[in-house]
Amino acid sequence: MATLALPLNFQNLGQSTCASPITNVQTTAVLASTASFGATGNYIVRIDDSGSPGSTKFEYVLVTANNTGTNTLTFTRAQEGTSGQSFAAGATFTSYLTAGMLGAFPIKLNETVLAAATTSITFSSIPQGYQHLQFDWLARCDNAAAQQFIVEFNSDFTLANYNSEYFAAGGSTNQLPSNQNMGLIGYLPGTGTTANQFTCGRTHIPVYAGTTAVKCYHSETFTPVVSNATIQLLIAAGFWNNTAAINTARFLPNLGNLIAATVISMYGWP
Amino acid sequence: MAFTAYPNPDHVWQPHAGFPEGGFWLEGGPPQRDYPHHVEVDCSLGRIGYTRLTDSEISEQLARAEEDIAARGSIEEEARARMAELRAEAKRSPAFAALLEHFGIPSE
């Protein structure tokens, strides 16, 4: 998905007309008034040859400056798949929210909130149009002891195809780094821990839809109180030894089930 | 698209299917709350599938849980023995006790 450079300064209801014709390469236009447009760039404006938006001859331009003293917009031509067009006097300029602008922001793609204990949560047919994938989660398991929280991709449930490393700090003590032959993204408290203590975490997967690099992730987590005092703040990173685009992600504790009130939200990042 | 990780769910929930007050069960009705399931969200259709664990999956979970309890017991025993050695040394040597205190290791 094509994305636009920030900052974006979109304003609702920006609309005016130009007094003179403009060519297909001209990068400024004097309008009747530019007061209703963003005072500074960047934002998309749609130019329609005449009348209101919806004409068959149109172009999206990226406005980079607005001189409200002279009512002049400065812009880059031919945005969002359109080509440079010439327009007659009276052409309409309208501020427009486009796919490229939406693609400049992270967006929530899906979310699961558990109402009952569940062995695993899987997101499948993950949209491929973003640069990075991120999961924000709050989780706890029903095993007696704390358990590794694991991610697996594309229905590859073979732990040996994953490798991860983590550091943990509990109280004033650091735990030595540990290597795990699984896609570890954190540790979850179990039933031996104070009730209602969940682990919160964020797992980020850069370039998840690419097909060149082996898939890596990093994960930052925190557990308020756990029975094992060495597990409180935990940083993990790992990889799935595969270059395929990720279209499915499964989350589960190494043992037991995820309990009710566990939440996993999935976001696409530009 | 369809469910891929668990292609034959026992229960399927279809949210936001034109019903302003929510979705409906396409298959199976609501799952039993006390029975463990795998949950799969099909992001293309928005459907949520619930697949019951098989008997062999449940047996494997129980066996691994027992192994885990046994392994943790021996790890905790080793840790206790190691701490006992450190505390004994700390009682003999004030310098060693100070070192433990410096690293935040309780010696009492």
Side-chain angles (χ1 to χ4, degrees):
Chain A
M1 179 183 293
T3 58
L4 298 173
L6 291 174
L8 292 173
N9 188 24
F10 179 76
Q11 299 284 324
N12 285 329
L13 304 175
Q15 191 170 63
S16 190
T17 55
C18 61
S20 307
I22 60 172
T23 70
N24 62 339
V25 294
Q26 196 172 319
T27 57
T28 60
V30 178
L31 309 186
S33 170
T34 60
S36 61
F37 293 92
T40 58
N42 296 339
Y43 50 89
I44 291 287
V45 161
R46 172 174 165 140
I47 308 174
D48 283 86
D49 200 32
S50 61
S52 58
S55 71
T56 53
K57 185 179 181 182
F58 69 94
E59 178 186 343
Y60 293 117
V61 298
L62 178 66
V63 174
T64 55
N66 176 7
N67 186 333
T68 52
T70 60
N71 291 316
T72 303
L73 293 182
T74 302
F75 40 78
T76 306
R77 304 296 297 260
Q79 300 293 306
E80 305 266 343
T82 60
S83 54
Q85 307 272 359
S86 57
F87 294 95
T92 306
F93 286 59
T94 308
S95 58
Y96 232 76
L97 187 59
T98 61
M101 292 175 76
L102 289 173
F105 299 99
I107 188 167
K108 182 153 83 174
L109 300 173
N110 220 308
E111 181 176 79
T112 295
V113 181
L114 293 185
T118 294
T119 305
S120 68
I121 296 174
T122 301
F123 297 92
S124 57
S125 302
I126 295 171
Q128 301 290 292
Y130 300 88
Q131 187 72 296
H132 313 299
L133 194 63
Q134 182 169 296
F135 296 89
D136 283 8
W137 47 269
L138 183 76
R140 180 181 165 108
C141 72
D142 64 4
N143 191 66
Q147 283 297 307
Q148 297 98 327
F149 194 27
I150 299 170
V151 66
E152 294 167 334
F153 302 115
N154 292 16
S155 300
D156 181 354
F157 303 152
T158 304
L159 293 180
N161 292 336
Y162 301 82
N163 210 301
S164 55
E165 188 81 12
Y166 73 86
F167 295 90
S172 58
T173 305
N174 292 328
Q175 184 178 328
L176 289 175
S178 178
N179 181 265
Q180 301 267 316
N181 221 191
M182 59 177 66
L184 181 142
I185 58 171
Y187 260 87
L188 302 183
T191 55
T193 310
T194 308
N196 303 328
Q197 303 281 15
F198 286 61
T199 296
C200 63
R202 170 170 292 174
T203 302
H204 197 79
I205 308 165
V207 198
Y208 71 102
T211 54
T212 301
V214 161
K215 295 296 171 294
C216 298
Y217 66 83
H218 58 91
S219 193
E220 296 81 44
T221 79
F222 178 73
T223 307
V225 176
V226 290
S227 56
N228 181 347
T230 59
I231 306 169
Q232 287 188 343
L233 173 66
L234 187 147
I235 311 294
F239 69 94
W240 173 44
N241 195 14
N242 200 306
T243 60
I246 291 172
N247 53 42
T248 301
R250 181 174 87 146
F251 296 85
L252 72 166
N254 187 39
L255 274 174
N257 304 299
L258 299 167
I259 69 166
T262 290
V263 179
I264 303 180
S265 307
M266 178 170 67
Y267 298 87
W269 279 71
Chain B
M1 299 298 288
F3 297 113
T4 53
Y6 299 95
N8 300 303
D10 300 291
H11 315 266
V12 178
W13 173 252
Q14 173 68 68
H16 317 306
F19 292 5
E21 294 180 2
F24 61 96
W25 292 99
L26 277 178
E27 285 179 35
Q32 294 171 271
R33 292 178 67 87
D34 296 335
Y35 201 96
H37 291 80
H38 298 287
V39 172
E40 180 175 357
V41 182
D42 174 0
C43 298
S44 64
L45 299 175
R47 293 176 178 171
I48 304 171
Y50 298 80
T51 304
R52 283 196 299 268
L53 268 67
T54 62
D55 289 345
S56 61
E57 280 180 304
I58 293 171
S59 301
E60 186 191 338
Q61 284 261 6
L62 289 173
R64 287 177 58 211
E66 286 174 10
E67 287 171 16
D68 185 63
I69 289 169
R72 283 176 190 278
S74 64
I75 289 169
E76 285 172 9
E77 189 60 39
E78 284 174 21
R80 273 195 292 272
R82 201 176 305 123
M83 284 304 298
E85 285 177 24
L86 293 175
R87 286 185 183 124
E89 182 61 26
K91 279 185 180 167
R92 280 192 293 273
S93 165
F96 189 74
L99 193 63
L100 289 188
E101 189 179 352
H102 175 74
F103 286 112
I105 301 170
S107 60
E108 296 298 325

